[in-house]
Each structure stands twice: as structure tokens, then as C-alpha cells.
Amino acid sequence: MENDRYDTPSRKEKNDEEASVIIPETAHQVSNDSWFQVGVVLSMGVNSAYALGYSGTIMVPLGWIGGVVGLVMSTIVSLYASALMAKLHEVGGKRHIRYRDLAGFLYGRTAYLLIWALQYANLFLINIGYVIMSGSALKAFYMLFRDDHMLKLPHFIAIAGVACILFAIATPHLSALRIWLGFSTLFMILYLTIAFVLSVQDGVKAPPRDYHIPGSGDNKIWAIIGATGNLFFAFNTGMIPEIQATIRQPVVGNMVKALNFQFTVGVVPMHAVTYIGYWAYGSVVSSYLLNNVHGPAWVLGVAHLSAFFQAIITLHIFASPTYEYLDTKYGVKGSALAPRNILFRLVVRGGYLIMTTFLSALLPFLGNFMSLTGAISTIPLTFILPNHMYLIAKKDKLSSLQKSWHWLNIVVFGCVSVAAFVAALKLTVVQTQTYHVFADL
């Protein structure tokens, strides 16, 4: 191991700022899951109900060439960046089970706090999107049988929020998802299969579609730039260390296996349904593919409910770092079924999810939340920081060419992040001018 050691701050005298970083123990389970279970968790994120929106939020703004090339390239780049992050899990001879812990070790207390804020903003925005998605799926189910508009999207988002709270109370930590992973996989297979098959049927019967990129002038350019944020949002979590914390030893080797599974077998369904949805409906495909497909009401109902339940389960994955922080901070111990712990989850997690649900209903613009999340946090956490952390950790062990490569990634993705943020912000402002708050989209 000595020949492969990292040249990190732990090898030298730390300054006062670095020494002030206190890493807490965790109240959740560590090193408990197989690489396959972790691979399934990662694949669930890629193939979540969000995947039903990529035909509209990625393919429509980018077209066939831009969309296909962009998705394939972002798959490859995301695998590389995620593997890079996984290899930093044991820097300095110790495990870093939280992203902020690794940042604090390499950069000091200021970076520890900044990364903490950035990551939790990332996960909060992702969870807002999941609540919007689950509410949209539930509304679509309702509209199959009653078209009276008595209940509107904000009502369904509120129902979805209550369901998320109940699930958060019942599931104490990430490793406790075991049986739910099976249900989530079933739900995922159902809505992706139904969307795929019905899209093929519609596409075969439909007249020639229009695949031109919609819009003109500046609006078209901003939409294209915004879609780049969606490309990177589709594959990445911004929480690789937290997921890796659950994996058994050897943690680096097993995490690389899980990532290889995610970016080979795991991404196939998402790619397939994204392309077939765009092929079947062209530039009029919506940001929720099941709104376009035609079929028996009971089949569509199964698909909508599957998307609803799967979004709730997947939200728990992205909320787990927040839950872990709160459980650890307030010293949650003992059985998850102890009345004190159940009451704690009800009050604390319930409060977090009530706030998430309120903001979801306030501004239910799903496509823009994807772009905004990708720009603000997913790209920095997944591409910019891992490359710079690798430079810091390896230091003089990298050749000039390798250093140049990592700096190129930092600069390129920094520019992409800024451009995507401006585009997403502009598009969100435009939509808020078109729609009022608590809109029924």
C-alpha cells in the first residue's frame, strides 16, 4: 500500500482550519450491502420516474443527433467521474463516508461547510422533482377515470408528500430498503415496459412526425443549453460517498463493480424508453411520456401508479444523507421501532418533507428543476470537484498530461455549469410569467 499511498494533508501538519473539522460517527449502517444491491440502488436512480421525462426534456431541445450523442457521451463521462470519486473513498488510510467529510479532509473546514451546503441543496432540489413527478403521476391516474378537474396538481402533490412522509417513517435508513428495492424494480419494469410498448404501437400507426427542434432565436439557444444540465442530471446523484458507505469491503473494488453495473445494464432501459418516446411522438412529446401514450385505461393506470410508488421509494435514497445527518446529530439509537425513534422520524423527517412538498406545489416546473439541479449542484459535485479532489489527493504522482486532463475537465464542466444555470434560471422566470404559483400543469 505504501507505493500507492495518496499525498494528502493527513501526511503533513494540518493548519488550524483543517484541524477544526470534526467528523461525527454515523447512526446508520455502514459496510452492510453487496455490490449488486448498491448497483441496483444506483440503477433505480437512473431509471426512476424521471426517465419518463427525458424524451421531452432532453431529446426535444437537442434533436436526434444532439440527444443521442449527448446521452451516450454523458453516460461515458459520468461513469468515469463516478469511478474517480469512488477511488477517493479511502484517501489517507481512512474511509470518508460523506462527501463533506472528504472535502474537509482535503480542503479544510470552510470547504467542508460549503460542500455540505451544496450537496444538501442538490438533494433537496432532486427531492422536489420527485414529489412533482409522483404528484403528476397520481394526477394522470385520477384523470383516467374522472375528468372533472375538482382536484388539481397541487392537491396530488400534497397527497404524494404525505405518502413520502409515511415511507420515511417506516424506512429508518438506506440499508433498510432491501425488500423495497424489489418492489421498486417491479414498479420500474412496469412503467418503462408499458411506456415502451404503447409508444411503439402509437409510433407504428402515427403519420410522419416532426423532429425539428422547437423555438427560435434566443429561446431556442437557451433551451438547448438548459438541456445540457438535464443530460448530466440523468445519470448522477452527487452522493457517491454516502452510497459507497453502505457497501462491503473492499469498498473501492465493490463500488467500481456497482458503477459498472449501473452504467451498462442499468442504463439500457432509460436509453430505450427515451429514444422510443421521441421516435413515437416527435417534438410534441411531453415531459411525462405516459401523457402521450394511448392504451387501455387499466394498463395506463398500472403505469401511473407504478411511477407514483417508485418515485416515493427513490426519493428516500436521495433524502437519506439528510436523514443520516439528523439522526446522527440528535443521537438516534436503539431499535428503529422504539416509540421515541418513530416519533423523531415523524417530526423531523416529516418537517423536511412538508417543506419539500410545499415548494413542489408552489413551482411545479419539472423540466426546469432538472436543469437547475444539474447546473447548480450535480455538475459541480459529480464532475468539477472529483477532478480537483483527485489532483489534490494524488499531487506529484500525476504526470503533466494527467494534470492537464483533470484541469481541462474542471474548466469545461465549470463553463457548462454556469451556462446551464443561466439558461435554467431564464426558462424558469419565463414560465413563472406564463403560469401562476401552485399551477395546475
Side-chain angles (χ1 to χ4, degrees), residues 48-49 52 130-141 155-164 187-188 191 288 290 300-315:
S48 70
L52 295 171
Y130 275 118
V131 176
I132 295 173
M133 177 60 75
S134 57
S136 299
L138 194 59
K139 178 190 174 184
F141 175 80
H155 298 116
F156 294 106
I157 287 176
I159 295 171
V162 171
C164 290
F187 294 143
M188 180 185 70
Y191 65 69
Y288 180 58
L290 291 176
L300 293 174
V302 168
H304 292 313
L305 287 181
S306 296
F308 169 74
F309 287 120
Q310 206 272 350
I312 292 171
I313 297 171
T314 309
L315 179 146

Side-chain angles (χ1 to χ4, degrees), residues 265-281:
V265 177
V267 299
V268 170
M270 186 275 279
H271 275 268
V273 80
T274 298
Y275 301 145
I276 207 68
Y278 186 59
W279 167 80
Y281 308 105

Side-chain angles (χ1 to χ4, degrees), residues 334-349:
S335 171
L337 298 178
R340 175 182 177 274
N341 291 340
I342 293 175
L343 181 61
F344 177 85
R345 293 198 295 274
L346 171 62
V347 174
V348 176
R349 297 185 183 186

Side-chain angles (χ1 to χ4, degrees), residues 54-307:
Y54 297 146
S55 295
T57 61
I58 293 176
M59 297 300 294
V60 170
L62 298 179
W64 273 120
I65 296 176
V68 174
V69 172
L71 278 168
V72 171
M73 291 301 297
S74 61
T75 302
I76 297 170
V77 173
S78 298
L79 171 59
Y80 168 77
S82 297
L84 203 65
M85 194 71 200
K87 292 174 182 177
L88 295 173
H89 194 75
E90 292 183 316
V91 168
K94 60 180 292 187
R95 291 188 69 177
H96 304 277
I97 63 172
R98 306 175 187 90
Y99 204 130
R100 65 184 186 274
D101 296 351
L102 177 60
F105 180 80
L106 292 174
Y107 301 123
R109 180 169 177 76
T110 301
Y112 175 89
L113 296 174
L114 288 173
I115 298 304
W116 191 356
L118 182 64
Q119 185 189 34
Y120 279 63
N122 174 62
L123 299 176
F124 186 61
L125 287 170
I126 289 174
N127 288 333
I128 286 176
Y130 275 118
V131 176
I132 295 173
M133 177 60 75
S134 57
S136 299
L138 194 59
K139 178 190 174 184
F141 175 80
Y142 175 83
M143 295 292 287
L144 285 174
F145 305 101
R146 295 191 64 175
D147 195 13
D148 53 13
H149 296 282
M150 290 291 292
L151 294 178
K152 301 185 183 300
L153 181 58
H155 298 116
F156 294 106
I157 287 176
I159 295 171
V162 171
C164 290
I165 292 172
L166 294 175
F167 190 80
I169 296 170
T171 313
H173 48 73
L174 195 56
S175 293
L177 278 174
R178 279 192 184 86
I179 188 170
W180 292 109
L181 292 179
F183 283 111
S184 180
T185 303
L186 174 62
F187 294 143
M188 180 185 70
I189 291 172
L190 284 172
Y191 65 69
L192 288 178
T193 300
I194 291 171
F196 185 91
V197 171
L198 294 183
S199 294
V200 170
Q201 290 181 355
D202 287 347
V204 169
K205 298 175 184 177
R209 275 77 71 193
D210 178 12
Y211 297 111
H212 288 96
I213 298 174
S216 60
D218 291 346
N219 289 336
K220 184 175 183 179
I221 294 172
W222 286 119
I224 291 172
I225 296 173
T228 61
N230 297 340
L231 281 173
F232 298 111
F233 172 87
F235 298 101
N236 300 289
T237 63
M239 53 178 284
I240 289 294
E242 286 79 3
I243 295 176
Q244 193 170 359
T246 68
I247 208 165
R248 296 172 192 157
Q249 294 284 358
V251 292
V252 173
N254 280 336
M255 190 62 182
V256 171
K257 288 181 182 178
L259 289 169
N260 286 334
F261 178 86
Q262 175 196 6
F263 286 102
T264 52
V265 177
V267 299
V268 170
M270 186 275 279
H271 275 268
V273 80
T274 298
Y275 301 145
I276 207 68
Y278 186 59
W279 167 80
Y281 308 105
S283 59
V284 298
V285 64
S286 77
S287 59
Y288 180 58
L289 180 58
L290 291 176
N291 283 338
N292 292 94
V293 300
H294 300 87
W298 71 269
V299 174
L300 293 174
V302 168
H304 292 313
L305 287 181
S306 296

